[in-house]
Amino acid sequence: MRSHLAEGWDANAAAWIEWTRRGLDSYRTHKLAFLPLIPRPGRLTVDIGAGEGRVSRELRASGHRVLAIDRSPTMTRAAATHPEEPVPAVVADATQLPLPDAAADCAVAFMCLHDIDDVVPAIAEAGRILAPDGKLVLAIVHPLNSAGHFEPDGSFVIPDAYTQARHYATTRTRDDLSMTYHGIHRPLQTYTEAIADAGLVIERLREYGSDDPADKWYRVPLFLHIVASRPAVGSG
């Protein structure tokens, strides 16, 4: 199955690896809100859309047995051959995870689901590999963020229908590097319905933005964090 978003990210993989390893994205602050949502280590934690392995390395350092999964061969190789903290990593599509049913206690999808063309089957796969009481912990670009933009006068504009999915590519330049993000805007309901259809129950939904009232992103959330669980057998 062809994936336009995966192809875009693989084409920019070398730039992304350098971009994130030099700390030019928001991860250093964003992770402080996200990582505490991940449960204690269990049998297996699967890092879906792991990229070059930054979350996997954090999880291994805190005692998790981690398997990193990404569709990009370049990203996966970078995760597996990190010079200081290599992680077990395999190339696979998020819609066809190479694991049996109920194999994992936790599935993490950090800032990747909005970069996946077929997000509904990807969430279904995350649900499939979770054991009873297992958790799916995800972070995405907040749908308000991906729906609109700030004008020079400070107003926030949503130029097209919030409810309609659409692809986007955003290029950012910092220091001497340029990085293009490929993603797809989807309304929040797309994610919440997919989570419900996967047999998972949302436990937490948190919006993340700036803590600085002078920052424009204090007014509009940047990211969305969700924790969902597979009910234990016989619960309810």
Side-chain angles (χ1 to χ4, degrees):
M1 181 184 298
R2 185 177 181 184
S3 170
H4 296 287
L5 292 178
E7 290 167 4
W9 275 97
D10 197 42
N12 284 276
W16 172 251
I17 292 165
E18 186 172 4
W19 182 268
T20 188
R21 290 186 179 178
R22 285 172 56 176
L24 297 178
D25 66 338
S26 61
Y27 180 62
R28 289 185 180 181
T29 56
H30 188 184
K31 72 177 184 180
L32 298 179
F34 180 78
L35 292 178
L37 297 175
I38 298 172
R40 294 171 63 86
R43 291 177 303 153
L44 178 65
T45 298
V46 180
D47 186 5
I48 300 168
E52 57 77 51
R54 59 188 181 177
V55 174
S56 291
R57 292 191 293 274
E58 299 268 8
L59 293 173
R60 276 174 61 87
S62 62
H64 288 257
R65 177 174 175 251
V66 180
L67 178 63
I69 295 175
D70 200 277
R71 182 160 175 167
S72 165
T74 305
M75 298 276 202
T76 305
R77 189 179 308 112
T81 61
H82 188 278
E84 298 174 1
E85 302 172 272
V87 296
V90 297
V91 177
D93 194 301
T95 65
Q96 295 178 313
L97 298 175
L99 291 163
D101 295 355
D105 305 288
C106 181
V108 175
F110 180 77
M111 298 300 290
C112 68
L113 293 178
H114 52 275
D115 300 332
I116 293 174
D117 288 284
D118 300 310
V119 70
V120 173
I123 291 175
E125 270 291 272
R128 180 187 67 77
I129 67 168
L130 285 178
D133 284 329
K135 309 288 185 184
L136 169 63
V137 187
L138 66 91
I140 58 172
V141 171
H142 197 291
L144 277 180
N145 179 349
S146 58
H149 63 269
F150 283 98
E151 294 285 358
D153 64 1
S155 60
F156 187 79
V157 176
I158 299 177
D160 300 302
Y162 167 85
T163 55
Q164 297 301 308
R166 58 186 176 276
H167 287 80
Y168 62 84
T170 303
T171 299
R172 297 194 176 105
T173 301
R174 292 180 182 171
D175 296 344
D176 57 342
L177 289 180
S178 179
M179 177 62 206
T180 299
Y181 292 76
H182 293 267
I184 183 167
H185 162 75
R186 300 180 178 96
L188 176 57
Q189 180 174 301
T190 299
Y191 297 96
T192 57
E193 287 295 293
I195 290 168
D197 289 343
L200 307 178
V201 177
I202 294 175
E203 296 182 350
R204 297 184 186 276
L205 189 153
R206 293 181 176 177
E207 297 168 303
Y208 176 88
S210 173
D211 293 328
D212 181 1
D215 187 340
K216 64 185 179 182
W217 292 109
Y218 182 81
R219 297 162 44 206
V220 179
L222 280 162
F223 309 121
L224 186 69
H225 300 163
I226 295 176
V227 179
S229 63
R230 173 163 297 290
V233 176
S235 65

